[in-house]
Every structure is written in structure tokens, then in C-alpha cells.
Amino acid sequence: MARVGRFRNDAARAEYLRAYAAMEGLWPLPATTADVPTAYGPTHVRRSGSGEGLPLVLLHGFGGNGLYWHDVVGPLAADREVLALDTVGAAGRSVQTAPLARDADYGAWFAQVLDGLGLDRVHVAGESLGSWHAALVALHAPDRVASVSLIEPNGVVTRTPFRALVRMLGFGANPTEAGWRRMREWLTPGVYPTDAELACMRAALGYRTAAGWARPLKDAELASIAPPLLALYGAESVLSEPDAARLRLAEHLPGAEVEIFPGGGHGVRGQVPDRVSARIAGFVARNAV
């Protein structure tokens, strides 16, 4: 049965919102915020930047929120508005009120957010689990998407290795400080979160998520993605299989662009933010129509 995400209790919610407020200080640009009504609950949106280009919408990964894009939003917003969403069903300032029971519900939710913001078409970028949500938007609301960029889309093009899932489940069962550190060193080597980010990550453990889990797209689904697609991988990622993903995309979506960053891990955006943001910005600019 589909569930609705929620904090475990009021104390967990208050702790998270304190951490969220502290993390807002990392956002490098002037911003406005809005809570957009949808059938699945109000969605929190942070808007920065301006320009003639079509807006770019950012979808965060598991355990994150829209603020985690702070290290790349500057270059991405150089010539367009950027909108960072807190996905419904995940810890954040969005509040889920109805389940996202089907894949198509993510497309409906996204379209309703755009309607509430008065936007027709946008570019979309997602990271990790946010790549899964971005792929669903491209599949189920293609008329609203000018392009889609996927950063480390583990479980979307190829399956997440079983051994990696087992290791993550082990961490979740006993999230000690030492285990937390080992998990970061294994999952996102070379990425050093700020104290504010770490506090928000820990506080997110007080949320019972219902944001959905990625599954590999079927061949027909992959082939039917209409918007131009960019997939970015870290060559040393423990969650993705970059070479296999490149081959599968070449077979079923030959127009897709793929870049694999040597030495990069699952946290490749945090390792080389300038290179990742430049690659996305260039892709978006080439698909402006």
C-alpha cells in the first residue's frame, strides 16, 4: 500500500526544521520561496537567478532537500532562473498529504508545481534518487520538459549492485557516528559536507520517507523518453555501473549524452562541482527550444 511520508513525531520535525534553517545560510544567491499547492501536498520551492533562458528545476537525492544544490546553483543560474524543489514524500519543507502511488503520479505532481508557478516548460536536473524522479517526469510529463539531466542515476538505467544495497541497509539499521563516517567515506569519497549539511542529514533520519525507490527503466520506457537526456556518472561509483549504463543508453536511447568523470564517485557533483555544473549548463543551453 502506498504511504504518505511524515516525521516520526513533532520533536523530529522541529529538530529537522532547525537544521534546515541553519542550512539556508549556505545558499549563495538571493532567493524567494513559495509553497505551491498540489494534489499530493504543498511543495516548497526556492527560486534564484534570472535571464532569458528557460528555467531549470532541480530534484534532490535521498535524504536531501533543495538546499543541497547550493554548491552548483551559482553557475546554473547565470542566465536563467533556477528552482530547487523539496520533493514531497521526503524530509524538507514540503508536506505530503496523498501518496504517490504510481510512476505517473510524479509527472502529475511536477506538472501541478509548474502550473502553480505559472511555468509552461522547464529543464530538469536530478541527482541520485532525484534522477529517478526526473526520469519519471520526462516519461510522464514530456510536454513540460525541455531537457533532462541525470547525475549518478543509480538504479535507473542499470540496477544498483545488491552488495551496495546490503551495505546501506546495514548502516540504516545502526546509524552510529562511526558508521556514518564510514558510509560517507565509502559512498561519497572526496566529498566533505559542512556541519550544517551533516546536521540536516542526521535530522532527516527522523522522517519516514515515501519518496519512492528507483527501478531500472524497461527497454521500451528508456526508448520512449522524448526530451534530450544527459547522464553524468562518477567512474568509481559504488552505486552505479557507468560503462554498462553507457552501453544500454547507446542501444535504447542513442541520442542521449553520457559523460563519465574519471576518479569520481557517487558524490561526483560534490567532488567536481564546477565541471558538473558547466556540463549541465552547456547541455541546457544547447537544448533551449
Side-chain angles (χ1 to χ4, degrees):
M1 179 180 295
R3 299 181 298 113
V4 170
R6 65 188 187 279
F7 286 99
R8 290 196 177 100
N9 49 49
D10 289 342
R13 182 176 184 275
E15 179 186 358
Y16 183 85
L17 292 180
R18 284 193 297 270
Y20 189 105
M23 194 174 163
E24 287 179 303
L26 299 176
W27 198 256
L29 301 177
T32 60
T33 60
D35 294 296
V36 181
T38 77
Y40 307 93
T43 299
H44 191 72
V45 181
R46 179 172 297 268
R47 309 176 74 159
S48 291
S50 62
E52 297 299 319
L54 281 178
L56 171 62
V57 175
L58 306 176
L59 301 177
H60 60 81
F62 178 76
N65 58 54
L67 292 169
Y68 282 88
W69 295 94
H70 67 86
D71 59 341
V72 294
V73 68
L76 293 178
D79 58 358
R80 69 190 67 249
E81 185 178 44
V82 171
L83 303 95
L85 275 56
D86 288 357
T87 304
V88 291
R93 287 194 175 275
S94 297
V95 180
Q96 189 176 18
T97 58
L100 293 151
R102 304 169 303 149
D103 290 351
D105 288 340
Y106 278 95
W109 162 71
F110 190 84
Q112 290 172 26
V113 172
L114 296 191
D115 289 343
L117 295 170
L119 298 174
D120 180 29
R121 292 175 74 241
V122 296
H123 300 279
V124 184
E127 179 179 35
S128 191
L129 184 60
S131 288
W132 168 237
H133 301 145
L136 294 181
V137 167
L139 275 172
H140 297 289
D143 57 324
R144 311 303 293 269
V145 179
S147 76
V148 58
S149 299
L150 311 179
I151 306 171
E152 268 293 296
N154 60 291
V156 179
V157 182
T158 59
R159 293 187 182 279
T160 302
F162 180 73
R163 63 185 181 279
L165 293 175
V166 170
R167 188 160 183 172
M168 288 190 293
L169 287 172
F171 164 73
N174 185 29
T176 63
E177 189 64 32
W180 189 271
R181 185 184 65 256
R182 288 194 299 272
M183 175 61 65
R184 293 200 313 271
E185 292 170 351
W186 167 74
L187 184 61
T188 57
V191 178
Y192 305 100
T194 65
D195 289 344
E197 288 174 299
L198 287 173
C200 215
M201 290 176 192
R202 293 189 186 98
L205 295 175
Y207 189 86
R208 294 171 178 167
T209 185
W213 297 102
R215 63 165 178 80
L217 295 173
K218 298 176 182 177
D219 292 349
E221 290 174 321
L222 202 56
S224 69
I225 292 178
L229 183 142
L230 169 67
L232 305 178
Y233 290 92
E236 307 303 322
S237 174
V238 295
L239 295 190
S240 301
E241 297 182 318
D243 292 330
R246 188 203 294 273
L247 291 174
R248 188 161 185 251
L249 285 167
E251 180 179 1
H252 299 291
L253 194 65
E257 297 184 26
V258 180
E259 180 156 350
I260 301 172
F261 292 89
H266 185 62
V268 65
R269 177 181 62 81
Q271 289 176 285
V272 287
D274 293 344
R275 293 177 62 192
V276 168
S277 59
R279 187 68 172 86
I280 293 174
F283 178 73
V284 165
R286 292 196 308 275
N287 293 282
V289 177

